[in-house]
Amino acid sequence: MGTVTLGVSIAVPEPYGSLLQELRAGFGDPAAHGIPTHVTLVPPTEVDEERLPAIQAHLAEVAAGVRCFPVRLSGTGTFRPLSPVVYVMLAEGVSSCAWLQERVRDESGPLVRELQFPYHPHVTVAHGIAEEAMDRAYAELADFEAAWTCTSFALYEQGADGVWRKLRVFEFGDSRHIPGVPAQGTSVDTPTPTC
Protein backbone atom coordinates (compact mmCIF):
# COMPACT_ATOMS: atom_id res chain seq x y z
CA MET A 1 0.00 0.00 0.00
CA GLY A 2 1.08 3.55 -0.66
CA THR A 3 0.26 6.91 0.85
CA VAL A 4 -2.75 9.18 0.47
CA THR A 5 -3.21 12.89 1.11
CA LEU A 6 -6.15 13.54 3.41
CA GLY A 7 -7.90 16.60 4.79
CA VAL A 8 -10.74 17.08 7.25
CA SER A 9 -13.08 20.03 6.89
CA ILE A 10 -16.52 21.52 7.40
CA ALA A 11 -18.31 22.06 4.08
CA VAL A 12 -19.84 25.46 3.44
CA PRO A 13 -23.44 24.56 2.45
CA GLU A 14 -25.48 25.73 -0.50
CA PRO A 15 -26.08 28.22 -1.85
CA TYR A 16 -22.94 29.73 -0.29
CA GLY A 17 -20.50 26.94 -1.17
CA SER A 18 -20.95 27.08 -4.94
CA LEU A 19 -21.21 30.88 -4.91
CA LEU A 20 -17.85 31.28 -3.17
CA GLN A 21 -16.29 28.59 -5.37
CA GLU A 22 -17.42 30.43 -8.52
CA LEU A 23 -16.19 33.74 -7.16
CA ARG A 24 -12.82 32.14 -6.31
CA ALA A 25 -12.57 30.88 -9.90
CA GLY A 26 -13.52 34.34 -11.14
CA PHE A 27 -10.66 35.89 -9.20
CA GLY A 28 -8.34 33.66 -11.24
CA ASP A 29 -7.57 30.96 -8.67
CA PRO A 30 -6.86 27.82 -10.77
CA ALA A 31 -7.50 25.51 -7.78
CA ALA A 32 -11.05 26.80 -7.22
CA HIS A 33 -12.94 23.93 -8.86
CA GLY A 34 -10.75 21.27 -7.29
CA ILE A 35 -11.38 22.38 -3.72
CA PRO A 36 -14.90 22.33 -2.25
CA THR A 37 -15.60 25.49 -0.23
CA HIS A 38 -14.78 24.67 3.38
CA VAL A 39 -13.45 25.49 6.83
CA THR A 40 -10.32 23.39 7.42
CA LEU A 41 -10.02 21.21 10.51
CA VAL A 42 -6.96 19.22 9.36
CA PRO A 43 -4.88 20.63 6.48
CA PRO A 44 -3.51 18.36 3.74
CA THR A 45 -1.78 15.48 5.50
CA GLU A 46 0.03 12.54 3.89
CA VAL A 47 -0.63 9.21 5.62
CA ASP A 48 -0.13 5.53 4.90
CA GLU A 49 -3.22 4.22 3.11
CA GLU A 50 -3.45 1.30 5.55
CA ARG A 51 -4.26 3.84 8.32
CA LEU A 52 -7.55 4.89 6.67
CA PRO A 53 -9.78 2.52 8.71
CA ALA A 54 -8.26 3.77 12.00
CA ILE A 55 -8.60 7.39 10.88
CA GLN A 56 -12.25 6.91 9.94
CA ALA A 57 -12.98 5.17 13.25
CA HIS A 58 -11.31 8.05 15.11
CA LEU A 59 -13.30 10.67 13.20
CA ALA A 60 -16.56 8.81 13.83
CA GLU A 61 -15.78 8.72 17.55
CA VAL A 62 -14.96 12.44 17.61
CA ALA A 63 -18.14 13.35 15.68
CA ALA A 64 -20.30 11.26 18.00
CA GLY A 65 -19.29 13.50 20.90
CA VAL A 66 -19.91 16.84 19.15
CA ARG A 67 -22.99 19.04 19.36
CA CYS A 68 -24.07 21.02 16.33
CA PHE A 69 -23.17 24.70 16.45
CA PRO A 70 -23.90 27.93 14.59
CA VAL A 71 -21.47 29.25 12.00
CA ARG A 72 -21.61 32.75 10.58
CA LEU A 73 -19.34 34.19 7.91
CA SER A 74 -18.87 37.94 7.69
CA GLY A 75 -16.38 40.04 5.76
CA THR A 76 -12.87 39.34 4.57
CA GLY A 77 -9.38 38.95 5.97
CA THR A 78 -5.94 38.04 4.69
CA PHE A 79 -2.82 36.22 5.82
CA ARG A 80 -0.61 38.37 3.62
CA PRO A 81 2.34 38.93 3.74
CA LEU A 82 3.01 35.64 5.63
CA SER A 83 0.85 33.57 3.27
CA PRO A 84 -0.78 34.60 -0.05
CA VAL A 85 -4.37 34.00 1.10
CA VAL A 86 -7.56 36.08 1.17
CA TYR A 87 -10.45 34.57 3.10
CA VAL A 88 -13.97 35.12 4.37
CA MET A 89 -13.91 35.43 8.17
CA LEU A 90 -15.84 33.40 10.69
CA ALA A 91 -17.79 35.80 12.90
CA GLU A 92 -19.39 32.94 14.83
CA GLY A 93 -18.25 29.37 15.35
CA VAL A 94 -14.55 30.14 15.82
CA SER A 95 -14.21 28.56 19.26
CA SER A 96 -16.27 25.51 18.23
CA CYS A 97 -14.07 24.94 15.16
CA ALA A 98 -10.92 25.39 17.25
CA TRP A 99 -12.16 22.91 19.86
CA LEU A 100 -13.17 20.43 17.15
CA GLN A 101 -9.87 20.54 15.28
CA GLU A 102 -8.02 19.91 18.55
CA ARG A 103 -10.09 16.74 19.07
CA VAL A 104 -9.51 15.58 15.51
CA ARG A 105 -5.73 16.12 15.80
CA ASP A 106 -5.53 14.78 19.37
CA GLU A 107 -2.20 13.22 20.34
CA SER A 108 -3.91 9.92 21.15
CA GLY A 109 -5.44 9.64 17.66
CA PRO A 110 -4.15 8.76 14.19
CA LEU A 111 -4.21 12.31 12.76
CA VAL A 112 -1.59 13.94 14.96
CA ARG A 113 0.33 16.65 13.12
CA GLU A 114 2.02 19.94 13.77
CA LEU A 115 0.48 23.00 12.15
CA GLN A 116 2.63 25.40 10.14
CA PHE A 117 0.66 28.36 11.54
CA PRO A 118 -1.62 28.75 14.59
CA TYR A 119 -5.12 27.47 13.85
CA HIS A 120 -7.41 30.20 12.48
CA PRO A 121 -10.71 28.96 11.01
CA HIS A 122 -11.61 30.69 7.74
CA VAL A 123 -12.93 30.11 4.21
CA THR A 124 -10.27 30.68 1.54
CA VAL A 125 -11.46 32.65 -1.50
CA ALA A 126 -8.08 33.36 -3.14
CA HIS A 127 -4.72 31.64 -2.79
CA GLY A 128 -1.42 32.24 -4.53
CA ILE A 129 -2.75 34.46 -7.30
CA ALA A 130 -1.74 37.95 -8.48
CA GLU A 131 -1.79 40.66 -5.80
CA GLU A 132 -4.30 42.71 -7.78
CA ALA A 133 -6.70 39.75 -7.94
CA MET A 134 -6.26 39.14 -4.21
CA ASP A 135 -7.02 42.80 -3.55
CA ARG A 136 -10.17 42.45 -5.67
CA ALA A 137 -11.30 39.35 -3.74
CA TYR A 138 -10.71 41.18 -0.45
CA ALA A 139 -12.74 44.20 -1.57
CA GLU A 140 -15.57 42.43 -3.41
CA LEU A 141 -16.37 40.07 -0.53
CA ALA A 142 -15.99 42.64 2.25
CA ASP A 143 -19.77 42.67 2.78
CA PHE A 144 -20.29 38.92 2.35
CA GLU A 145 -22.58 37.30 4.95
CA ALA A 146 -23.71 33.70 5.41
CA ALA A 147 -24.98 31.63 8.34
CA TRP A 148 -25.91 28.00 8.97
CA THR A 149 -25.90 25.31 11.63
CA CYS A 150 -22.90 23.00 11.39
CA THR A 151 -24.00 19.38 11.86
CA SER A 152 -21.02 17.44 10.46
CA PHE A 153 -17.53 17.42 9.05
CA ALA A 154 -16.03 15.30 6.27
CA LEU A 155 -12.88 13.41 5.32
CA TYR A 156 -11.46 14.24 1.89
CA GLU A 157 -8.73 12.71 -0.25
CA GLN A 158 -6.71 14.64 -2.80
CA GLY A 159 -6.39 12.80 -6.10
CA ALA A 160 -3.34 12.74 -8.38
CA ASP A 161 -5.18 15.41 -10.43
CA GLY A 162 -5.16 17.77 -7.43
CA VAL A 163 -8.94 17.50 -6.93
CA TRP A 164 -10.27 16.93 -3.40
CA ARG A 165 -12.95 14.21 -3.21
CA LYS A 166 -15.19 13.46 -0.24
CA LEU A 167 -14.59 10.02 1.28
CA ARG A 168 -17.09 10.17 4.13
CA VAL A 169 -19.29 12.57 6.11
CA PHE A 170 -19.28 12.31 9.90
CA GLU A 171 -22.51 13.59 11.44
CA PHE A 172 -22.40 15.01 14.93
CA GLY A 173 -23.90 12.91 17.70
CA ASP A 174 -26.82 15.26 18.33
CA SER A 175 -27.62 15.86 14.65
CA ARG A 176 -28.50 12.37 13.42
CA HIS A 177 -32.22 13.13 13.67
CA ILE A 178 -31.85 16.47 11.88
CA PRO A 179 -32.04 16.74 8.07
CA GLY A 180 -28.48 17.22 6.80
CA VAL A 181 -27.17 20.33 5.13
CA PRO A 182 -27.18 19.67 1.35
CA ALA A 183 -23.83 19.05 -0.31
CA GLN A 184 -22.51 21.59 -2.78
CA GLY A 185 -24.19 21.29 -6.13
CA THR A 186 -27.50 20.05 -4.75
CA SER A 187 -30.70 21.98 -4.26
CA VAL A 188 -31.88 23.17 -0.89
CA ASP A 189 -35.16 21.40 -0.21
CA THR A 190 -35.06 21.29 3.58
CA PRO A 191 -34.81 24.13 6.06
CA THR A 192 -31.56 24.73 7.87
CA PRO A 193 -31.51 22.48 10.93
CA THR A 194 -31.78 24.06 14.34
CA CYS A 195 -30.28 22.70 17.50
Side-chain angles (χ1 to χ4, degrees):
M1 287 191 153
T3 61
V4 292
T5 301
L6 303 177
V8 180
S9 63
I10 295 168
V12 174
E14 293 304 327
Y16 316 117
S18 291
L19 172 63
L20 289 174
Q21 191 173 47
E22 290 303 317
L23 288 168
R24 182 172 179 172
F27 298 135
D29 191 328
H33 289 293
I35 305 173
T37 309
H38 67 281
V39 177
T40 299
L41 296 175
V42 176
T45 303
E46 191 173 313
V47 301
D48 291 331
E49 193 172 2
E50 63 192 23
R51 292 176 51 203
L52 264 174
I55 289 168
Q56 291 195 28
H58 168 68
L59 294 175
E61 183 178 341
V62 170
V66 178
R67 300 177 76 94
C68 54
F69 57 89
V71 176
R72 185 168 59 86
L73 305 179
S74 181
T76 50
T78 184
F79 294 131
R80 295 182 291 174
L82 291 177
S83 182
V85 172
V86 171
Y87 57 86
V88 174
M89 296 188 295
L90 264 72
E92 188 174 3
V94 173
S95 61
S96 295
C97 288
W99 178 88
L100 184 53
Q101 66 88 28
E102 284 179 3
R103 298 314 174 274
V104 170
R105 293 187 310 105
D106 188 82
E107 289 181 8
S108 66
L111 276 175
V112 177
R113 69 157 289 169
E114 292 291 321
L115 297 180
Q116 185 177 1
F117 300 105
Y119 183 73
H120 184 273
H122 64 280
V123 177
T124 298
V125 291
H127 181 219
I129 58 175
E131 288 294 321
E132 300 78 25
M134 298 234 279
D135 290 343
R136 189 163 65 92
Y138 187 90
E140 287 184 18
L141 289 169
D143 295 326
F144 184 83
E145 297 280 339
W148 71 93
T149 299
C150 180
T151 62
S152 65
F153 60 77
L155 176 66
Y156 291 82
E157 179 181 347
Q158 186 178 38
D161 57 1
V163 174
W164 287 91
R165 293 174 178 87
K166 189 184 316 175
L167 295 179
R168 182 172 165 194
V169 173
F170 298 88
E171 290 186 17
F172 297 162
D174 68 342
S175 67
R176 290 196 170 90
H177 65 285
I178 298 170
V181 174
Q184 288 181 37
T186 62
S187 62
V188 180
D189 294 324
T190 56
T192 301
T194 57
C195 296

